[in-house]
Amino acid sequence: MNAGRLTEAETWIRAALETERRLPPRTNLVDIHAALGMTLTRMERRAEAHLVLTEGIRLAHQIRAVHQIPDLMNFLALNLLELGRPQEAVRLCLEALTSDQIDRPALRAELFDTLALCYGEAEERVLARQALAQSTKLTVHLETVPDLLHRLYTFTLIEKTVFASEDHAAVLHWLLGHQEATAPLKTLVLREIMPEIQPARTLPPIDVEVISSEAQRRCGYVAGEPSIMASRSF
């Protein structure tokens, strides 16, 4: 979503927020805080997003909308990460994982992915790999290729210091060319690509202890294949 559309979205969400505030607190109010927090995050107004999401969590506790709290915690952890506070983000992810409902594997996968990023920023590489492996395991069972691609993107971040720069670039370019990569993922990938680094011609091996062979197969990742993909089906 471009900057103009995000600004428009913020306007509509704030209008909905004002309307909802005139009513007794209910779950819609929490949802609106989550939407506004996500929008502000994508606009890189992270301090504002932090305040909005914190208020959303307070409201969720107030009206006992327990099922909404882990989602808000996940968004808030990502904001804390961007604000350079990875240790706080780790604690928030762990708290969210203990409070999440057991029948919500998709959210648990997202939380473990966020936890992996937080551990990576905190220079806890072993814990980051363990968290991402857990996220990938859950995602494989969900059979969602776009989410598996996101797991692979997270892998490039937490393993960036051990990847050869051209191999790191190769995986990023492969992700960018994948037909099932979502627009938000492509935006993240473009932020990481460094134009001055030429990607390796072929894809490097990916550690199956973190991104399982089944996960790699599901999203069509094959070490040794060309890194710059033409349009293809998986």
Side-chain angles (χ1 to χ4, degrees), residues 6 16 19 21 28 31 40 44 49 53 60 68 88 103 107 121 129-130 142 189 206 209 223:
L6 285 170
T19 299
R21 279 175 173 162
N28 279 5
D31 290 334
L40 292 171
E44 299 188 355
L53 292 168
Q68 293 177 293
E88 291 176 64
D103 61 344
L107 178 55
E121 284 295 311
R129 286 165 56 87
Q130 290 173 353
L142 295 169
V189 170
I206 297 293
E209 291 187 3

Side-chain angles (χ1 to χ4, degrees), residues 6-7 10 13 45 47 57 67 80 131 153 189-190 197 200 208:
L6 285 170
T7 300
E10 181 192 1
I13 294 168
R45 289 158 58 185
I57 291 173
H67 65 287
L80 287 169
Y153 167 74
V189 170
L190 285 169
I197 296 178
V208 296

Side-chain angles (χ1 to χ4, degrees), residues 25-196:
R26 55 180 183 165
T27 56
N28 279 5
L29 188 57
V30 179
D31 290 334
I32 293 169
H33 276 79
L36 182 57
M38 290 171 62
T39 301
L40 292 171
T41 297
R42 294 182 67 181
M43 296 172 77
E44 299 188 355
R45 289 158 58 185
R46 298 185 183 95
E48 291 177 73
H50 180 84
L51 293 174
V52 168
L53 292 168
T54 300
E55 176 63 10
I57 291 173
R58 187 194 68 78
L59 287 166
H61 280 291
Q62 178 185 331
I63 64 175
R64 299 185 180 180
V66 179
H67 65 287
Q68 293 177 293
I69 293 173
D71 299 88
L72 289 160
M73 284 182 166
N74 187 48
F75 301 144
L76 186 55
L78 288 168
N79 271 276
L80 287 169
L81 194 60
E82 294 288 346
L83 290 167
R85 295 154 65 181
Q87 296 291 358
E88 291 176 64
V90 164
R91 288 194 293 270
L92 202 62
C93 286
L94 293 174
E95 182 182 348
L97 282 164
T98 60
S99 66
D100 187 23
Q101 304 299 311
I102 196 168
D103 61 344
R104 301 179 70 193
L107 178 55
R108 290 185 68 81
E110 288 296 325
L111 283 164
F112 273 115
D113 186 89
T114 302
L115 181 60
L117 289 171
C118 297
Y119 275 136
E121 284 295 311
E123 299 184 355
E124 296 280 2
R125 181 169 168 259
V126 172
L127 293 174
R129 286 165 56 87
Q130 290 173 353
L132 184 56
Q134 185 63 34
S135 177
T136 303
K137 181 179 178 180
L138 289 164
T139 307
V140 165
H141 291 304
L142 295 169
E143 300 184 354
T144 52
V145 171
D147 289 337
L148 285 172
L149 295 175
H150 198 102
R151 303 296 92 86
L152 187 54
Y153 167 74
T154 299
F155 181 82
T156 69
L157 297 183
I158 67 174
E159 295 288 87
K160 188 174 182 178
T161 58
V162 297
F163 257 134
S165 58
E166 61 272 18
D167 286 341
H168 180 254
V171 180
L172 291 173
H173 279 274
W174 182 85
L175 286 169
L176 191 62
H178 199 294
Q179 66 179 22
E180 293 199 53
T182 62
L185 176 59
K186 288 182 178 181
T187 299
L188 292 171
V189 170
L190 285 169
R191 284 172 52 183
E192 289 296 315
I193 286 177
M194 301 178 69
E196 67 272 18

